[in-house]
Amino acid sequence: MAENRETDFVTVAAIRKGKDKTQQYLLNERQRIFVLADNAAAKGDAGRLLAQALEKRTPVKVTLDTRRPVIQQVVALSQRELDEFTKTRIPLPKAETDRNAAIDLAKIDPTRFNIVDAYLKWRCFRRCTRVIPSYAKAKEIFDFCAQLSCHLPGPYAVTPCIPFQYVRDGCYARAHQMRRIITTRYRYCCEKVFSYAPYTDDVLAVQANKWGGCCVEWWYHVAPLVRVRVKFRLPLLPKNFSIVLAMVIDPGMFDKPVLLSTWLAAQENSGCSPDANVSAYSIQPGSAYGPANYAGTAFVTDPGYVDTLNTLVGYSGLTTCP
């Protein structure tokens, strides 16, 4: 049976009050929105340590419930642990970090929004030009990644398996492992797209239809973004016409590559939460692993895939819906 507790070093992105007046804790290293367990809140030390961690921008050691978004225990780091954390938390250089963009999904035109170089002019696209040449090839890559899912019996073409069946958290590790596959096995460009719900009571809310249909909430989400050349013939043109579209590879949510606008819209499921709202997104280099601040303007990397592999293994036996 999978362990229902995990302990890790984390930094606090923000502390905010929910509509029910509970304190919500947003952690840079986790996409879920956490609250303190009743016994931890009653002692007072946990809340104080988390508030200090936010103010001083220092890490703490937390014990988390993998079934519910609950912080069970908070402990200050020893000097050795702090040194270990600092050594492994490698920032994405400022020169490579792109902006965040505010977004109102109700107002975008999906027929134009997904066209690279027409609407999407992100700086990181200049770093690599080898885009995926067809939707068929993008689907081949998607299917290869999806077959690595830990809920399938294996053997797996690449190990460890990827826990697509547990979408409550771990998107950063799933995305980074897929990025490694896309860039090293297939040799195509791969960026990361981050979506955010950082303001007031906003949440990203999705219905996990692939894993039982329960609702899942996050404060951010990330997945590999690829550029795909799509060719077609227009009646008045003498030859084939092509455009490059931004598409997302996310087997935890979908059964095929989807347009960026489709991926974003799926995270505004009002049936799961009346507060569902994707208020910002950003496209970053594929080396970006996870956010390093609440504003989504700084990121950390995992060049050795150490955090990636630890998370994949740790979540391999977990499931999304009860």
Side-chain angles (χ1 to χ4, degrees), residues 1-231:
M1 182 177 293
E3 176 62 53
N4 294 324
R5 291 156 58 97
E6 60 170 331
T7 300
D8 200 3
F9 304 156
V10 301
T11 53
V12 181
I15 301 173
R16 67 186 193 185
K17 281 194 179 295
K19 282 185 175 178
D20 58 359
K21 306 302 181 183
T22 58
Q23 292 276 74
Q24 296 180 344
Y25 296 91
L26 279 55
L27 310 177
N28 288 309
E29 292 75 19
R30 296 293 185 275
Q31 63 185 123
R32 300 174 82 181
I33 300 170
F34 287 89
V35 297
L36 274 178
D38 290 342
N39 61 336
K43 292 179 181 177
D45 287 346
R48 177 180 56 81
L49 287 171
L50 289 167
Q52 287 179 352
L54 175 61
E55 179 184 359
K56 298 179 180 180
R57 299 186 178 182
T58 54
V60 289
K61 183 191 296 186
V62 295
T63 299
L64 307 172
D65 191 326
T66 58
R67 300 163 302 176
R68 302 173 298 136
V70 171
I71 301 172
Q72 298 177 330
Q73 187 178 33
V74 185
V75 179
L77 268 61
S78 66
Q79 187 59 52
R80 181 187 60 79
E81 291 170 329
L82 181 59
D83 292 342
E84 176 187 339
F85 180 85
T86 303
K87 184 171 66 175
T88 59
R89 192 171 172 81
I90 304 170
L92 179 72
K94 287 286 186 183
E96 297 181 23
T97 305
D98 220 321
R99 68 195 188 282
N100 258 4
I103 191 171
D104 183 344
L105 294 181
K107 294 181 179 179
I108 69 168
D109 178 0
T111 63
R112 180 173 177 267
F113 174 80
N114 302 287
I115 303 175
V116 176
D117 295 330
Y119 185 93
L120 299 171
K121 300 180 180 180
W122 293 82
R123 185 176 57 188
C124 58
F125 288 159
R126 303 173 195 164
R127 301 180 185 277
C128 178
T129 58
R130 191 160 190 263
V131 302
I132 296 175
S134 67
Y135 180 81
K137 177 57 73 172
K139 181 64 163 57
E140 177 188 332
I141 295 171
F142 181 99
D143 289 344
F144 180 86
C145 292
Q147 285 300 312
L148 301 176
S149 180
C150 295
H151 83 289
L152 298 175
Y156 306 105
V158 176
T159 55
C161 60
I162 304 178
F164 294 118
Q165 82 293 339
Y166 181 68
V167 296
R168 292 195 179 277
D169 218 312
C171 62
Y172 32 86
R174 298 193 302 270
H176 212 48
Q177 182 73 336
M178 287 188 283
R179 177 251 187 174
R180 174 154 66 170
I181 290 168
I182 294 166
T183 57
T184 62
R185 187 182 184 93
Y186 290 95
R187 304 286 181 183
Y188 292 116
C189 305
C190 176
E191 285 78 35
K192 300 274 186 66
V193 57
F194 290 81
S195 53
Y196 299 97
Y199 307 120
T200 60
D201 297 310
D202 287 354
V203 298
L204 303 179
V206 302
Q207 188 163 14
N209 292 320
K210 293 183 66 174
W211 316 112
C214 60
C215 291
V216 178
E217 295 182 358
W218 310 308
W219 80 271
Y220 80 88
H221 186 43
V222 58
L225 181 137
V226 293
R227 287 166 280 158
V228 182
R229 185 170 297 280
V230 178
K231 300 177 182 179

Side-chain angles (χ1 to χ4, degrees), residues 277-295:
N277 181 35
V278 180
S279 49
Y281 83 106
S282 67
I283 298 173
Q284 302 293 335
S287 56
Y289 182 67
N293 63 13
Y294 186 51

Side-chain angles (χ1 to χ4, degrees), residues 248-311:
V248 180
I249 307 290
D250 194 345
M253 291 176 61
F254 297 97
D255 292 319
K256 60 185 178 182
V258 296
L259 292 169
L260 173 58
S261 60
T262 301
W263 183 78
L264 292 169
Q267 298 170 58
E268 275 196 1
N269 191 317
S270 58
C272 285
S273 172
D275 300 315
N277 181 35
V278 180
S279 49
Y281 83 106
S282 67
I283 298 173
Q284 302 293 335
S287 56
Y289 182 67
N293 63 13
Y294 186 51
T297 56
F299 298 85
V300 294
T301 64
D302 185 24
Y305 291 87
V306 175
D307 286 340
T308 299
L309 298 180
N310 286 339
T311 302

